[in-house]
Amino acid sequence: MSTYDQLHRQCRTLENLFYSKLTSYSQLVSTISRHSDDVEASGSSERWMDMEHELDDLLEKLEETNEQLAALANEPDAVSASMLRTINHHAEIFQDNARELRRTKASVKSALDHANLLHGVRNDIEAYRSSAADSLLAERGRIDSSHSMTDVMIEQAYETRAEFGRQRTALAGINTRMKSVLSMDTIPGINNLVSMIKSRRRRDTVIVGVVIGVCIIIIISFMWR
């Protein structure tokens, strides 16, 4: 009786503890599904593994206890009919717990894989957005640089045009001064000198004309002889 009672109490304690741990383990599925961050970084993976190891240990102890109860049931003189029904009930609970643990493990693993997949997709999207943003910023930088170069060239063109204007004004001033210097009214005696030159040109023209006329007359007179 003492052996049976001890095993029975131990089995009940393990079953209650297993049920409590399994409930917490099952709640991890919904926690992982709602988690938006990386499962590895958030620590969900470690908690999942720790709780899974604890449940595996509890299930192993339950199996050992049930095996001891089953060995006790093989001794008809050691147990009564009610004890035998209790032993069989513990065995059924053990089988149910084992099936529930396998099912919950699969659910947790599926939730972890799904969360990691979503996080990977989110990282890829963020990386693509970051790359696209970097490309746009680089393109904008090139456009701004091109605009700056264009502004410099336009500024140089305006400066060149202003310089041409200044040179044109300077040349116009020089031309005006040259005309003023070369003006006959500004040089003393220039009119007399020009008049003398003109008179000499007329005289030379008259002389040349007379000489040509005389030559023509001489030629004609020789021809008539």
Side-chain angles (χ1 to χ4, degrees), residues 82-101:
S82 61
M83 293 178 184
L84 187 59
R85 286 194 298 269
T86 302
I87 292 173
N88 292 332
H89 181 64
H90 283 308
E92 292 173 359
I93 292 176
F94 171 77
Q95 296 297 328
D96 292 340
N97 287 337
R99 284 193 297 269
E100 187 64 22
L101 179 59

Side-chain angles (χ1 to χ4, degrees), residues 43-195:
S44 296
S45 178
E46 286 77 6
R47 285 187 291 141
W48 157 58
M49 295 177 63
D50 291 341
M51 295 177 70
E52 187 173 288
H53 289 322
E54 290 178 4
L55 285 167
D56 288 337
D57 291 340
L58 287 173
L59 191 65
E60 184 177 352
K61 292 177 180 179
L62 271 173
E63 185 178 13
E64 293 176 357
T65 305
N66 275 275
E67 287 177 353
Q68 293 177 12
L69 285 171
L72 201 64
N74 292 328
E75 301 177 5
D77 297 336
V79 294
S80 61
S82 61
M83 293 178 184
L84 187 59
R85 286 194 298 269
T86 302
I87 292 173
N88 292 332
H89 181 64
H90 283 308
E92 292 173 359
I93 292 176
F94 171 77
Q95 296 297 328
D96 292 340
N97 287 337
R99 284 193 297 269
E100 187 64 22
L101 179 59
R102 287 194 298 269
R103 186 190 66 80
T104 307
K105 279 184 178 181
S107 299
V108 171
K109 186 177 184 304
S110 177
L112 285 169
D113 291 342
H114 182 69
N116 287 328
L117 178 61
L118 287 179
H119 181 72
V121 171
R122 190 179 297 111
N123 285 343
D124 291 341
I125 293 174
E126 291 297 329
Y128 174 77
R129 287 178 178 175
S130 178
S131 177
D134 291 342
S135 299
L136 290 175
L137 289 174
E139 184 64 24
R140 182 175 179 178
R142 288 192 289 269
I143 293 173
D144 291 341
S145 177
S146 177
H147 287 171
S148 299
M149 293 178 62
T150 303
D151 292 340
V152 171
M153 292 177 66
I154 292 174
E155 185 178 354
Q156 290 177 351
Y158 280 124
E159 182 63 27
T160 302
R161 188 179 69 173
E163 181 64 24
F164 284 157
R166 289 192 293 269
Q167 291 180 5
R168 183 170 62 250
T169 302
L171 290 174
I174 293 172
N175 189 29
T176 301
R177 288 195 295 272
M178 290 296 294
K179 287 181 180 180
S180 178
V181 170
L182 294 177
S183 176
M184 292 184 296
D185 295 333
T186 59
I187 300 177
I190 191 68
N191 290 331
N192 294 332
L193 179 61
V194 172
S195 296

Side-chain angles (χ1 to χ4, degrees), residues 8-26:
H8 173 60
R9 285 194 299 269
Q10 182 178 350
C11 195
R12 289 294 301 273
T13 301
L14 291 172
E15 287 171 352
N16 291 333
L17 185 58
F18 183 88
Y19 178 77
S20 176
K21 293 287 185 181
L22 186 62
T23 301
S24 300
Y25 186 67
S26 300

